[in-house]
């Protein structure tokens, strides 16, 4: 039972020993140095330089210049007492054409970054792919083509050979749903294509790329390496209890969640997904042996969560709300779900317009743990964008973000208490940065970045989160005005 309420202060909640406390970033969003040391364009370079694609023509050419300032950023993490840092590798920095040998200069940057992290006592968690496909591979067809999955496996092996002696935590893909369906379905993400069949082909080849890369990693890494994939699993809720709305939720669960969980963890695509999309494709691009190649053992399942998904059925020909939180497009990122409408949940919203509902994170973690017992979980992204400004005293006071994170960490703790084996939490994001098609208009960072001077200023939420990370105890932020009307995150 959930209820909307203003949460009163609570006693401290203690997380298990060894719980991993970190922050997360992505290469294109922070690195900059877009044309340095052999790096070639990725699809996001091309997309952001295409007029009308990104807010006010913003690009990641400089971003927040992490490429040159990484030591300062690691020092900030160390001063905040964070134990882990999840970052991604730029494929076109390491392997500029997407084929052939690695560029030593690209690998050396990540070697320096990892060494700096280890020297500061921070555990590196490496993501191989966070949406920045080398443009040369997109020109050859991109993720809808099988060859891209094969190229990804070879790239994974190059990175593992270079960093496997230093990095123990490896993530193959970040949010492949976004790569496939926002990139090739609705077109609001790079490369900006709008073909539902290509989106489904991309989804399969991302799955295959994950499986083939997992094999490359297992072959190259020491036996104690930990392998994961990071999925933005949708916590889907029907608008009403009607059979029609429940079926709408089933459809979105199929193309949002089980299209990944099925082949990766169970060895098959769900039958209802194939039925829902049969009018688009016969799935002949799935070849013999693909399911076995995708179904590789994982050490962790990484889950990204920000807001729930509320859906209803709508009759054909009727106007339907498309408030799914994934950007505006005349093309749907949900193939096989033409009769599904999307609604925003009630309550407080972030600057992204996303409803704040930590109960959905509790439900997502407990349900996933029940479905896949024995597979540990980690929250690899969770956070919120708000309108942050530097005050007259030079500080950034962001009580809304602290309250958001507190409520969601409370949900994580409740899930652990209910039996979910959750091993860590990575706050999104370490730094304000390039927020994809929103450019620099949305700030998710625990650390404020002045985009003119690139000066970093930890926000008040960063200092609060640092205390939680150091002590392992979750206490309310204690800042006046920090309380939100939120959804109670599961039973007490």
């Amino acid at each position: 039972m959930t209820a909307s309420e203003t949460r009163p202060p609570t006693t401290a909640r203690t997380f298990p020993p060894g719980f991993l406390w970190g922050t997360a970033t992505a290469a294109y969003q922070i690195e900059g140095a877009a044309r340095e040391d052999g790096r070639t364009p990725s699809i996001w370079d091309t997309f952001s330089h295409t007029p009308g694609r990104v807010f006010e023509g913003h690009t990641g050419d400089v971003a927040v210049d992490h490429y040159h300032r990484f030591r300062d950023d690691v020092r900030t993490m160390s001063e905040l007492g964070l134990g882990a840092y999840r970052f991604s590798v730029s494929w076109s920095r390491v392997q500029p054409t997407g084929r052939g040998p690695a560029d030593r200069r690209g690998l050396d940057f990540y070697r320096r970054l990892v060494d700096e992290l280890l020297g500061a006592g921070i555990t590196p968690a490496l993501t191989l792919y966070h949406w920045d496909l080398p443009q040369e591979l997109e020109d050859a067809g991109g993720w809808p083509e099988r060859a891209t999955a094969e190229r990804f496996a070879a790239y994974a092996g190059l990175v593992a050979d270079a960093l496997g002696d230093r990095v123990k935590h490896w993530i193959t893909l970040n949010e492949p749903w976004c790569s496939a369906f926002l990139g090739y379905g609705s077109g609001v993400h790079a490369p900006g294509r709008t073909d539902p069949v290509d989106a489904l082909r991309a989804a399969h080849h991302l799955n295959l790329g994950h499986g083939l890369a997992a094999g490359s990693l297992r072959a190259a890494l020491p036996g104690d390496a930990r392998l994961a994939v990071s999925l933005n699993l949708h916590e889907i809720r029907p608008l009403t209890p009607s059979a029609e709305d429940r079926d709408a939720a089933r459809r979105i669960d199929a193309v949002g969640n089980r299209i990944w969980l099925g082949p990766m963890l169970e060895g098959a695509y769900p039958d209802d997904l194939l039925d829902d999309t049969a009018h688009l494709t016969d799935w002949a691009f799935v070849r013999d042996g693909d399911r076995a190649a995708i179904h590789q053992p994982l050490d962790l399942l990484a889950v990204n969560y920000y807001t729930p998904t509320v859906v209803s059925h709508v009759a054909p020909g009727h106007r339907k709300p498309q408030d799914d939180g994934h950007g505006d497009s005349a093309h749907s990122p949900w193939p096989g779900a033409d009769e599904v409408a999307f609604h925003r949940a009630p309550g407080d919203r972030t600057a992204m317009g996303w409803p704040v509902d930590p109960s959905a994170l509790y439900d997502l973690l407990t349900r996933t743990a029940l479905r896949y017992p024995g597979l540990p979980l980690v929250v690899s992204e969770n956070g919120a964008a708000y309108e942050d400004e530097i005050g007259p005293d030079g500080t950034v006071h962001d009580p809304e973000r602290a309250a958001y994170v507190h409520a969601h960490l409370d949900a994580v703790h409740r899930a652990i208490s209910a039996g979910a084996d959750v091993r860590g939490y990575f706050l999104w994001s370490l730094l304000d940065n390039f927020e994809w098609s929103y450019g620099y208009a949305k700030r998710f960072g625990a650390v404020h970045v002045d985009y003119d001077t690139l000066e970093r200023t930890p926000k008040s939420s960063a200092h609060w989160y640092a205390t939680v990370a150091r002590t392992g105890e979750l206490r309310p932020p204690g800042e006046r005005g920090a309380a939100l009307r939120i959804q109670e995150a599961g039973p007490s």
Side-chain angles (χ1 to χ4, degrees), residues 194-230:
T194 55
D195 184 322
V197 178
D198 275 352
L200 291 168
R201 289 174 60 91
H204 174 63
H205 294 132
L206 283 155
N207 274 326
L208 181 61
H210 157 78
L212 296 177
S216 294
L217 294 174
R218 294 290 186 200
L221 296 175
D224 61 349
R226 307 286 285 169
L227 183 59
V229 64
S230 186

Side-chain angles (χ1 to χ4, degrees), residues 9 17-18 25 29 57 128 273 365-366:
T25 63
Q29 293 183 273
L128 284 165
L273 169 70
L365 292 173
T366 52

Side-chain angles (χ1 to χ4, degrees), residues 53 182-188 191-199 329-332:
R53 292 295 200 178
L182 300 184
Y184 295 91
S186 68
V188 300
R193 289 159 60 177
T194 55
D195 184 322
V197 178
D198 275 352
S329 174
H331 304 272
S332 172

Side-chain angles (χ1 to χ4, degrees), residues 37-87:
D37 294 337
R39 184 187 181 277
T40 58
S42 73
I43 55 175
W44 269 98
D45 294 275
T46 303
F47 189 82
S48 65
H49 280 270
T50 303
R53 292 295 200 178
V54 174
F55 176 76
E56 293 189 351
H58 295 172
T59 75
D61 289 1
V62 176
V64 297
D65 197 32
H66 176 74
Y67 190 77
H68 299 109
R69 299 168 186 255
F70 71 91
R71 290 186 176 87
D72 291 338
D73 293 336
V74 172
R75 187 178 306 113
T76 296
M77 285 185 268
S78 179
E79 291 170 352
L80 292 172
L82 301 179
Y85 175 52
R86 178 185 167 222
F87 65 96

